Amino acid sequence: MTNDNKITVVINTYNAARYLERVLQAVHDFDEVLVCDMESTDDTVEIARRNGCRVVTFPKEGHTIVEPARDFAIRQATTEWVLVVDADEIVTDELRRYLYSRITEPDSPDGIAIPRRNYFMGRFMHSAYPDYILRFFRRSKTTWPPVIHCSPEVDGRVERLPRGRKELAFEHLANDTVADILRKNNTYSDYEVPRRRSRGYGVGALLTRPAFRFIKSYVLKKGFLDGLPGFIHAVLDAHYQFTIVAKLLEERITGQRH
């Protein structure tokens, strides 16, 4: 197999010991597994080395988001193809075989967006599927901007895996509680505020944006199929939008920026 047909799995970590053993066992058949650690204080690095991974360090310093470490990590890969996997995501055998097969084909793209199966209250969430994420690409054609929740930028053609092929989706092990989501909503909304200052949201956005998000999650994306957990998840989605707008209006009223 030439280097052009080899794949490096890149996993960015910070205190990620909880699921890491399972994640690494699922990717051990790839050509290289590279763990880029941001100075964890738990057993993350020990677990990675015990599983035969190559470990590099990205100094945490003042970084509060993972994206700067993403770009650094993919530059450390020794192969042209890179699969980025979170430390709480399982790569199925079907996905691994598909990716190796696809890159040998003459019309292979420069990047592939992969669906992810998400769970809440122990239930697969229809409203959160397919949740496409661009995680597979040619290293030489890709950069990852240092912006929270941004996707990598691929200089070339990107395709999506068929949403009906659920066996090709990442399995997201995280099963957030309501408290987890509320905490993340507060943290992530802080990062969203600077990005949305120019939008000029008014008081009406306190109603319209959460309402649209609820309808999108519960109706358009079929969250109603998930029963009570689906309803709760849709309300939490709406709450996230409310929080962003409320913080923007708070800035405008008080003059104090987040």
Side-chain angles (χ1 to χ4, degrees):
M1 182 181 294
T2 67
N3 192 56
D4 285 345
N5 293 332
K6 292 183 178 181
I7 300 173
T8 294
V9 172
V10 167
I11 304 174
N12 289 89
T13 58
Y14 177 69
N15 290 348
R18 181 177 181 182
Y19 301 114
L20 191 57
E21 191 85 39
R22 292 174 62 187
V23 172
L24 294 178
Q25 290 173 0
V27 297
H28 75 276
D29 285 332
F30 285 86
D31 298 289
E32 178 183 42
V33 180
L34 172 69
V35 171
C36 178
D37 187 70
M38 295 179 72
E39 300 180 318
S40 292
T41 58
D42 64 0
D43 296 334
T44 294
V45 172
E46 179 184 343
I47 294 170
R49 288 179 173 152
R50 187 170 68 236
N51 281 272
C53 303
R54 182 160 68 93
V55 179
V56 297
T57 301
F58 183 85
K60 191 173 190 307
E61 297 175 345
H63 295 291
T64 57
I65 60 175
V66 71
E67 281 72 17
R70 297 275 202 202
D71 196 67
F72 171 81
I74 64 178
R75 303 289 155 232
Q76 311 308 308
T78 61
T79 66
E80 172 65 354
W81 290 97
V82 173
L83 175 65
V84 176
V85 179
D86 278 353
D88 59 0
E89 293 171 345
I90 296 295
V91 177
T92 66
D93 288 338
E94 292 85 356
L95 176 58
R96 174 177 54 80
R97 289 193 293 267
Y98 178 92
L99 294 177
Y100 273 106
S101 174
R102 191 72 182 92
I103 63 178
T104 64
E105 297 171 359
D107 66 336
S108 62
D110 299 296
I112 296 178
I114 300 169
R116 181 168 58 175
R117 294 170 59 90
N118 292 298
Y119 296 83
F120 177 62
M121 293 188 177
R123 176 177 302 199
F124 166 70
M125 299 301 291
H126 293 80
S127 63
Y129 183 83
D131 186 22
Y132 278 108
I133 43 180
L134 181 51
R135 294 285 194 76
F136 186 66
F137 41 74
R138 294 182 187 271
R139 177 172 55 89
S140 62
K141 293 190 173 186
T142 303
T143 57
W144 206 306
V147 179
I148 189 170
H149 291 164
C150 72
S151 295
E153 296 177 352
V154 176
D155 181 18
R157 182 170 62 88
V158 174
E159 69 180 25
R160 286 184 170 189
L161 294 182
R163 63 177 295 158
R165 297 283 304 275
K166 288 186 171 66
E167 76 278 8
L168 301 180
F170 286 125
E171 193 80 7
H172 197 192
L173 297 177
N175 189 2
D176 289 339
T177 64
V178 171
D180 290 332
I181 293 176
L182 288 172
R183 183 175 62 253
K184 290 180 180 179
N185 282 356
N186 186 50
T187 299
Y188 294 155
S189 60
D190 280 345
Y191 292 121
E192 287 292 338
V193 166
R195 299 171 60 183
R196 303 198 188 194
R197 285 193 181 113
S198 61
R199 303 286 180 88
Y201 293 142
V203 175
L206 286 171
L207 297 176
T208 58
R209 291 195 61 80
F212 174 77
R213 191 57 175 260
F214 176 84
I215 292 170
K216 180 179 178 180
S217 179
Y218 193 67
V219 180
L220 300 181
K221 300 188 74 174
K222 300 182 180 180
F224 60 85
L225 295 176
D226 301 316
L228 182 58
F231 178 80
I232 294 172
H233 197 270
V235 171
L236 291 171
D237 279 348
H239 171 267
Y240 180 56
Q241 295 300 315
F242 180 89
T243 303
I244 293 171
V245 177
K247 288 182 178 181
L248 285 166
L249 294 176
E250 179 184 45
E251 280 192 352
R252 198 176 305 162
I253 294 170
T254 65
Q256 297 179 351
R257 291 196 166 190
H258 287 269

